[in-house]
């Protein structure tokens, strides 16, 4: 049940009744309890436009609001309408929600490809991959939960000139040593690049390896396969530790499109879209200009015959729109690639590869160190993602040990894993994805404020109520009665879960869900302070336990949609 939509529709009905069809309802949550639960503010402007008295129109709208879930609406001030939900209706909805779970949220049916994580396999995953991996995985979970048919796509970079020196370097190692030296992929990459820069013989061998690889030379392909397999194993270790839903099956690497590339270029030529400029095959698209307002080319084949990043992306786009037949495709890729993706989508339209499907860039900003500089190691190297995750778990272990020394070591390890990983993810997801943010261990691991540990802790507090009551949260008498304001506020908050989840997908903003969960936890704390749960008479106790159980489940579900786990005690 989308509560916001229900109220919007009711007010729209009232407006239509008063002769204002198509006038937006403009319903907001009430700023003060005396204004009811919600307030409709759209009437005044509409009345003024029609040259009528706003209070009079508001009266007509209110009278025409014929729904059972609202108490009789009140006209207030210069023409607002205060809307109060019926307490018995809230109670019924809570009961239904408690009994039926959240399966009713299954409302969407689009086929959506999400391109996310997508690291280059030449190196190990680093901090730069944190955002696309975490945001993409949360979007996947939310969209899937709403019933969409979601296709995860890990568009890994496994092809191109950068592999020349890596393969040449691998080739020089005795066969028995190759596997072990790939275990530290980062060091391997550094050494190979250093050789490439300092040793001209090696550099020309490396360039030769690029040609060999592209022409399908068997020995070179075998080395490449060994390298790629090892690099994918590194990614998978990160996904495992980080509780990311990507699997090997979701990989559709750049190399998968190799055979398509010449065909794409030929097709673009036949469509008359190609212009040769400085020997390169380019598409000039309207509206794209570079410096000096010169038309900006989209290069699909370089003058040396090689195919750039964009060409592979054109092939991938055609595959997604055509073969996969998606309704939408989202690209969770950093803001610096905005122009690249704009060109890509425009080219896709121009060539007729996309036809009305929604191809969309989901950009994000960067992660900074506390000095506001890019997050790098002291010597300027990328920080490995796996190291960040291990540190998160180690730091969470310290925090948990201080907070709750009673837990056994194995319990503490599990809590540390769940809290540490959750904290890193939540710090990411709770920010607007476009803003740069400072990576701050203490803030993300704090048990206060809008953090994962705060929410995970709120969850354990509710669970402990059930342990104390010796009650099964899943098998309560579902009757709910609402009396106290804090109780009412918490229930309304719970009934706003669906609209929140749907709102996340409106502009792919997981922070909408984070803010909701934070407010829900706060709302629970106020409820818990003012409404005794276990000490009341049986009917009240039962009703409040149902509210507690639904809160715990909503917190757990909301966190799981963000890819964050919970524990029973911490
Ligand atoms: N591998 C690329 C990088 O690390 C990201 C790929 C994003 N996806 C895409 N279809 N271009 O920058």
């Amino acid at each position: 049940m989308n509560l916001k939509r229900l109220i919007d529709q009711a007010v729209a009905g009232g407006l239509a009744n008063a002769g204002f069809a198509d006038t937006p309802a403009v319903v907001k949550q009430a700023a003060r309890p005396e204004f009811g639960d919600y307030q409709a503010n759209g009437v005044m402007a509409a009345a003024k436009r029609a040259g009528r008295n706003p209070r009079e129109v508001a009266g007509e709208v209110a009278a025409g609001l014929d729904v059972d879930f609202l108490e009789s609406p009140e006209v207030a001030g210069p023409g607002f309408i205060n809307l109060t939900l019926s307490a018995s209706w809230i109670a019924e909805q809570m009961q239904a929600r408690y009994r039926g779970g959240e399966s009713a949220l299954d409302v969407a049916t689009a086929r959506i490809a999400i391109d996310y994580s997508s690291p280059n396999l030449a190196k190990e995953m680093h901090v730069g991959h944190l955002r696309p991996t975490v945001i993409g995985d949360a979007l996947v979970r939310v969209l899937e939960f709403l019933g969409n048919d979601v296709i995860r796509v890990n568009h890994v970079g496994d092809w191109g000139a950068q592999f020349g020196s890596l393969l040449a370097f691998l080739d020089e190692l005795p066969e028995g040593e190759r596997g072990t030296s790939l275990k530290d992929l980062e060091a391997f990459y550094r050494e190979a690049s250093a050789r490439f820069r300092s040793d001209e013989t090696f550099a020309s061998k490396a360039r030769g390896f690029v040609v060999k690889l592209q022409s399908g030379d068997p020995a070179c392909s075998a080395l490449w396969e060994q390298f790629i397999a090892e690099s994918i194993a590194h990614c998978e270790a990160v996904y495992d530790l980080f509780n990311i839903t990507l699997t090997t099956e979701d990989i559709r690497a750049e190399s998968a499109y190799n055979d398509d590339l010449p065909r794409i270029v030929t097709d673009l030529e036949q469509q008359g879209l190609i212009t040769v400029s400085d020997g390169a095959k380019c598409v000039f698209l309207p509206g794209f200009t570079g410096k000096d307002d010169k038309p900006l080319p989209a290069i699909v084949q370089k003058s040396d015959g090689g195919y750039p990043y964009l060409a592979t992306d054109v092939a991938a786009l055609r595959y997604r729109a055509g073969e996969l037949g998606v309704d939408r495709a989202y690209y969770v890729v950093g803001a610096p690639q905005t122009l690249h993706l704009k060109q890509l989508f425009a080219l896709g339209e121009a060539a007729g590869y996309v036809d009305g499907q929604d191809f969309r860039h989901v950009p994000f900003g960067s992660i900074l160190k506390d000095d506001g500089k890019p997050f790098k190691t002291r010597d300027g190297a990328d920080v490995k993602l796996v190291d960040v995750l291990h540190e998160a778990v180690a730091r969470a272990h310290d925090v948990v040990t201080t907070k709750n020394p009673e837990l056994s070591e194995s319990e503490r390890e599990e809590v540390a894993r769940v809290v540490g990983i959750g904290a890193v993810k939540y710090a990411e997801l709770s920010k607007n994805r476009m803003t740069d943010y400072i990576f701050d261990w203490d803030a993300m691991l704090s048990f206060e404020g809008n953090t994962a540990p705060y929410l995970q802790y709120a969850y354990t507090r509710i669970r402990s109520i059930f342990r104390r009551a010796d009650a099964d949260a899943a098998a309560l008498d579902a009757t709910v009665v609402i009396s106290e304001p804090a109780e009412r506020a918490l229930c309304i908050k719970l009934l706003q879960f669906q609209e929140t989840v749907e709102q996340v997908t409106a502009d792919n903003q997981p922070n909408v869900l984070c803010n909701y969960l934070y407010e829900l936890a706060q709302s629970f704390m106020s409820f818990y302070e003012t409404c005794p749960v276990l000490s009341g008479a049986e009917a009240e106790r039962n009703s409040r336990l149902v509210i507690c159980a639904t809160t715990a489940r909503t917190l757990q579900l909301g966190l799981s949609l963000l890819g964050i786990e919970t524990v029973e005690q911490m």
Side-chain angles (χ1 to χ4, degrees):
M1 189 257 321
N2 184 319
L3 181 55
K4 177 75 168 68
R5 196 177 306 137
L6 208 61
I7 299 172
D8 279 346
Q9 279 167 357
V11 176
L15 278 160
N17 218 32
F20 291 89
D22 303 327
T23 301
V26 200
V27 174
K28 301 225 163 73
Q29 256 194 287
R32 279 194 256 149
E34 59 270 34
F35 300 160
D37 299 315
Y38 288 85
Q39 199 171 48
N41 301 337
V43 174
M44 282 182 300
K48 277 188 199 142
R49 273 197 302 274
R52 295 192 43 198
N53 177 318
R55 271 190 74 93
E56 205 180 283
V57 174
E60 276 171 43
V61 174
L65 259 172
D66 183 23
V67 285
D68 59 357
F69 58 89
L70 294 174
E71 311 279 2
S72 50
E74 272 174 26
V75 175
F80 303 117
I81 306 173
N82 296 345
L83 304 166
T84 305
L85 295 169
S86 132
S88 58
W89 183 83
I90 300 177
E92 267 167 42
Q93 292 301 315
M94 282 296 298
Q95 283 162 202
R97 178 68 187 286
Y98 174 74
R99 284 206 203 92
E102 283 73 26
S103 53
L105 295 181
D106 207 327
V107 290
T109 52
R111 190 165 161 81
I112 309 174
I114 312 223
D115 179 327
Y116 73 106
S117 195
S118 305
N120 284 331
L121 297 182
K123 301 175 72 176
E124 236 173 281
M125 288 182 80
H126 55 83
V127 183
H129 296 111
L130 196 135
R131 303 198 81 171
T133 305
V134 172
I135 296 171
D137 208 47
L139 294 178
V140 161
R141 290 173 193 256
V142 168
L143 288 164
E144 230 164 33
F145 175 72
L146 287 171
N148 295 289
D149 175 13
V150 177
I151 305 162
R152 296 163 174 75
V153 192
N154 197 355
H155 186 84
V156 299
D158 65 340
W159 202 247
Q162 50 183 327
F163 287 92
S165 43
L166 296 167
L167 298 181
F169 196 68
L170 197 58
D171 184 57
E172 290 191 350
L173 294 174
E175 231 162 281
E177 277 173 34
R178 289 176 188 163
T180 18
S181 48
L182 288 174
K183 291 281 173 258
D184 191 347
L185 204 56
E186 207 52 33
F188 187 90
Y189 179 86
R190 261 200 313 274
E191 284 172 46
S193 318
R195 271 296 288 288
F196 185 83
R197 282 192 303 269
S198 63
D199 177 345
E200 193 32 54
T201 329
F202 179 81
S204 81
K205 183 176 168 185
R207 282 187 284 268
F209 263 82
V210 179
V211 179
K212 276 193 194 173
L213 179 65
Q214 277 165 355
S215 64
D217 172 272
C220 182
S221 299
L223 283 177
W224 175 78
E225 266 160 34
Q226 185 183 7
F227 183 91
I228 296 300
E230 198 56 51
S231 183
I232 288 176
H234 279 268
C235 295
E236 270 165 7
V238 171
Y239 296 151
D240 264 0
L241 185 60
F242 213 8
N243 184 22
I244 296 296
T245 59
L246 284 169
T247 67
T248 330
E249 279 80 71
D250 304 317
I251 294 180
R252 188 152 174 104
E254 289 188 4
S255 61
Y257 300 100
N258 280 344
D259 295 346
D260 265 358
L261 303 178
R263 287 201 278 270
I264 296 262
V265 173
T266 307
D267 184 49
L268 295 174
E269 273 169 335
Q270 281 167 355
Q271 295 199 44
L273 287 166
I274 297 284
T275 310
V276 177
S277 167
D278 290 334
K281 294 186 180 166
C282 311
V283 181
F284 286 95
L285 297 154
F288 288 87
T289 45
K291 278 190 220 122
D292 321 323
D293 284 340
K294 283 218 190 91
L296 192 73
I299 302 176
V300 291
Q301 190 172 15
K302 294 186 282 187
S303 54
D304 65 3
Y307 297 96
Y309 182 51
L310 179 68
T312 307
D313 254 329
V314 175
L317 166 139
R318 194 174 70 157
Y319 171 78
R320 291 168 194 181
E323 232 153 299
L324 290 181
V326 300
D327 305 306
R328 299 183 227 159
Y330 296 158
Y331 291 65
V332 187
V333 181
Q337 293 192 33
T338 301
L339 176 62
H340 166 77
L341 291 172
K342 270 203 181 129
Q343 281 188 313
L344 171 67
F345 301 155
L347 209 166
E349 292 278 346
Y353 298 154
V354 286
D355 181 16
Q357 294 108 323
D358 180 5
F359 273 64
R360 209 187 284 194
H361 183 196
V362 179
F364 50 84
S366 350
I367 304 184
L368 308 172
K369 266 192 315 184
D370 49 9
D371 56 4
K373 302 234 172 76
F375 197 148
K376 298 264 178 189
T377 61
R378 223 166 291 143
D379 52 9
D382 288 326
V383 178
K384 286 197 221 175
L385 191 47
V386 73
D387 291 345
V388 173
L389 301 181
H390 283 139
E391 181 165 355
V393 175
R395 283 178 181 258
H397 192 271
D398 291 347
V399 174
V400 169
T401 305
T402 327
K403 286 249 172 219
N404 194 349
E406 263 114 84
L407 293 178
S408 73
E409 178 51 30
S410 70
E411 282 169 326
R412 247 183 287 164
E413 269 168 22
E414 175 63 2
V415 175
R417 184 186 67 77
V418 169
V419 169
I421 297 301
V424 173
K425 282 189 169 179
Y426 195 86
E428 166 61 53
L429 294 168
S430 55
K431 315 282 188 313
N432 180 314
R433 60 177 158 76
M434 280 313 288
T435 47
D436 295 347
Y437 75 94
I438 289 181
F439 195 89
D440 179 344
W441 285 118
D442 294 335
M444 71 177 76
L445 283 166
S446 165
F447 276 60
E448 272 144 51
N450 191 7
T451 65
Y454 173 77
L455 296 176
Q456 289 167 322
Y457 183 64
Y459 175 80
T460 61
R461 280 193 54 185
I462 307 177
R463 297 296 300 154
S464 80
I465 299 171
F466 286 92
R467 278 194 298 276
R468 263 182 290 139
D470 196 20
D472 178 356
L476 302 164
D477 167 5
T479 317
V480 173
V481 188
I482 290 162
S483 51
E484 294 299 314
E487 193 165 46
R488 177 190 184 86
L490 174 58
C491 290
I492 292 178
K493 195 89 217 159
L494 286 166
L495 297 180
Q496 291 168 338
F497 181 66
Q498 170 145 16
E499 68 201 47
T500 306
V501 177
E502 286 180 32
Q503 209 199 328
V504 169
T505 65
D507 192 25
N508 301 308
Q509 297 276 20
N511 60 329
V512 170
L513 180 54
C514 297
N515 293 339
Y516 169 84
L517 294 174
Y518 182 47
E519 285 168 17
L520 175 63
Q522 287 177 313
S523 189
F524 177 81
M525 295 305 175
S526 322
F527 158 80
Y528 197 55
E529 271 159 34
T530 49
C531 303
V533 174
L534 298 181
S535 55
E538 187 168 332
E540 186 186 84
R541 175 185 147 111
N542 258 336
S543 167
R544 289 188 174 162
L545 280 175
V546 169
I547 296 171
C548 289
T550 309
T551 307
R553 222 173 54 199
T554 305
L555 278 174
Q556 185 176 43
L557 173 64
L559 285 170
S560 82
L561 294 180
L562 299 170
I564 297 173
E565 295 171 82
T566 45
V567 285
E568 292 300 303
Q569 279 185 74
M570 60 191 259

